[in-house]
Amino acid sequence: MAVKIILLPGDGIGPEIVGPAVEVLDAVAPGELEFEQHVFGGACIDAHGTPLTDETLDACRGSDAILLAAVGGPKWDTTDPGRPRPEQGLLALRRGLGLFANLRPVRPVPALYDASPLKRELIERTDLVVVRELTGGIYFGAKTRTHDEASDTCVYTRAEIERIARVAFGAARSRVTSVDKANVLETSRLWREVVHELHGAEFPNVELEHLLVDNAAMRLIAAPRHFDVILTENMFGDILSDEAAMLTGSIGMLPSASLAGGGSAGEPRGVGEPPTPGVFEPVHGSAPDIAGTGAANPLAMLLSAAMMLRHGLAMEAQAAAIESAVDRALAEGLRTPDLGGGASTAEATQAVLQHL
Ligand code: IPM
Ligand code: MG
């Protein structure tokens, strides 16, 4: 039986980079993957009045993995709390599938050392992963809004912190840096306590350090090689992962995996049930400014497809084939405009296909 992949191209450059991902996946796993595309985000608001339909969420639940490009754009930007936003679809999807563990690896490619705004000596040999809690915190707490006042509530439970910390310790080679704001926030004080306790009880052989988020933001730029696993809550992880993206030269390079556990194919839903499918998506957004110009960098999308093969489908060899084809295409000089070059989306895709 073919492996079923749901494609959610979304908005802006989304549809332009999903096509290349399907081409590359078909090249590494011919005939093995079956694709089903659904409208999502702003495109879904236009078609159905909501950014994620129940039908699409059900299709995702019944699939083996979900490959998502990007959502959002000026057309749907609003500060009116009563109107739907494309991003709500993304949050509903993550939450609806219980994808609490977001992995964002940051490994600058040697060929791109000089494409980063940071000095080569600084970023060389950086190899870190941001493990971001994805279904809790201020993103999902109660919100209020009146004409003159607004509030967002940040809530974390011990169980939510423990399960994401377990993923982080499991992913660590040497060290987990837990990032919080424990000098100010109560949720961060609980976070620190729970991570500390879990470390002592289950992972005493992994080094653990705690950093305040402002200090972590500084050190990420000053000494990125220091980091192995950065474990943090939803909003801090959102911010730090965009910052970390610049170590690779462009946010157009960063893939991500959102999983319901730390295992290679997610955690089983229950006895006899298949694992929860993961969502695999680039860290970048829908780049409405370049949508339709054919200039989008498809590499983060291709690398997300590789993460899908590895973490979602246990197809490690095919995942590694895509990653090394991307590396070799870059080593041969492939540069899209975000990396200071002139290659189009189609040319970048061809360059990767040639190296498979
Ligand atoms: C990300 C994005 C999303 C987030 C937005 C689009 C809701 O920035 O995946 O990092 O904040 O999680
Ligand atoms: Mg973000």
Side-chain angles (χ1 to χ4, degrees), residues 7 20 46 51 71 220 265 274 307:
L7 299 174
D46 289 351
V71 294
L220 195 52
M307 287 193 89

Side-chain angles (χ1 to χ4, degrees), residues 71 86-88 90-91 94 102 104 132 134 139 234 237-239 241-242 256 281-285:
V71 294
E87 293 81 0
Q88 289 163 347
L90 188 56
L91 301 181
R94 292 170 176 173
N102 183 226
R104 298 185 160 185
R132 169 187 175 194
L134 203 59
Y139 272 55
N234 206 343
D238 178 47
I239 298 167
S241 56
D242 268 35
S256 80
E281 56 174 315
V283 171
H284 64 69

Side-chain angles (χ1 to χ4, degrees), residues 18-278:
V18 159
V22 170
E23 269 185 76
V24 167
L25 285 166
D26 274 336
V28 290
E32 287 182 62
L33 311 174
E34 183 185 294
F35 299 98
E36 184 183 300
Q37 190 162 309
H38 290 249
V39 283
F40 182 61
C44 192
I45 294 177
D46 289 351
H48 305 288
T50 168
L52 171 66
T53 64
D54 292 343
E55 187 223 336
T56 297
L57 183 58
D58 282 344
C60 289
R61 284 205 178 96
S63 74
D64 294 293
I66 299 126
L67 195 58
L68 190 160
V71 294
K75 181 174 178 194
W76 306 280
D77 259 343
T78 171
T79 54
D80 176 352
R83 291 186 42 206
R85 292 191 59 103
E87 293 81 0
Q88 289 163 347
L90 188 56
L91 301 181
L93 181 68
R94 292 170 176 173
R95 179 90 165 189
L97 294 172
L99 306 176
F100 66 89
N102 183 226
L103 312 183
R104 298 185 160 185
V106 179
R107 200 176 332 107
V109 182
L112 293 184
Y113 282 164
D114 295 315
S116 171
L118 295 163
K119 290 198 198 75
R120 160 188 278 268
E121 309 84 86
L122 216 66
I123 57 176
E124 263 171 343
R125 297 186 311 284
T126 294
D127 184 358
L128 63 88
V129 57
V130 178
V131 176
R132 169 187 175 194
E133 200 291 325
L134 203 59
T135 52
I138 200 165
Y139 272 55
F140 293 97
K143 297 177 192 301
T144 66
R145 168 85 174 263
T146 64
H147 186 264
D148 298 312
E149 197 185 272
S151 72
D152 298 277
T153 318
C154 185
V155 180
Y156 268 111
T157 65
R158 186 171 281 275
E160 284 174 316
I161 301 167
E162 247 175 43
R163 67 181 182 178
I164 188 69
R166 208 168 263 125
V167 171
F169 284 118
R173 266 173 299 208
S174 56
R175 178 190 301 122
V176 168
T177 303
S178 176
V179 173
D180 61 39
K181 188 71 185 173
N183 53 349
V184 177
L185 301 178
E186 209 50 58
T187 41
S188 282
R189 290 191 270 268
L190 179 67
W191 183 280
R192 202 173 268 223
E193 228 172 81
V194 172
V195 172
H196 176 80
E197 284 169 20
L198 184 77
H199 173 249
E202 293 181 25
F203 302 94
N205 299 326
V206 179
E207 186 188 329
L208 170 66
E209 68 177 355
H210 301 277
L211 282 188
L212 296 173
V213 63
D214 47 351
N215 188 20
M218 182 187 76
R219 295 232 230 156
L220 195 52
I221 295 299
R225 256 195 309 275
H226 167 80
F227 296 97
D228 174 16
V229 170
I230 296 177
L231 160 65
T232 192
E233 60 119 275
N234 206 343
M235 185 151 80
F236 298 158
D238 178 47
I239 298 167
L240 291 179
S241 56
D242 268 35
E243 187 190 1
M246 288 319 289
L247 301 169
T248 65
S250 166
I251 195 158
M253 295 300 302
L254 234 62
S256 80
S258 303
L259 307 169
S264 72
E267 230 98 284
R269 275 178 270 200
V271 182
E273 282 189 71
T276 303

Side-chain angles (χ1 to χ4, degrees), residues 310-352:
R310 170 174 302 120
H311 296 279
L313 305 173
M315 294 168 78
E316 172 59 34
Q318 293 88 336
I322 294 180
E323 287 164 351
S324 78
V326 167
D327 279 1
R328 278 177 288 148
L330 289 167
E332 266 190 13
L334 166 64
R335 298 287 183 278
T336 40
D338 56 307
L339 297 170
S344 66
T345 310
E347 286 161 352
T349 308
Q350 280 315 310
V352 173

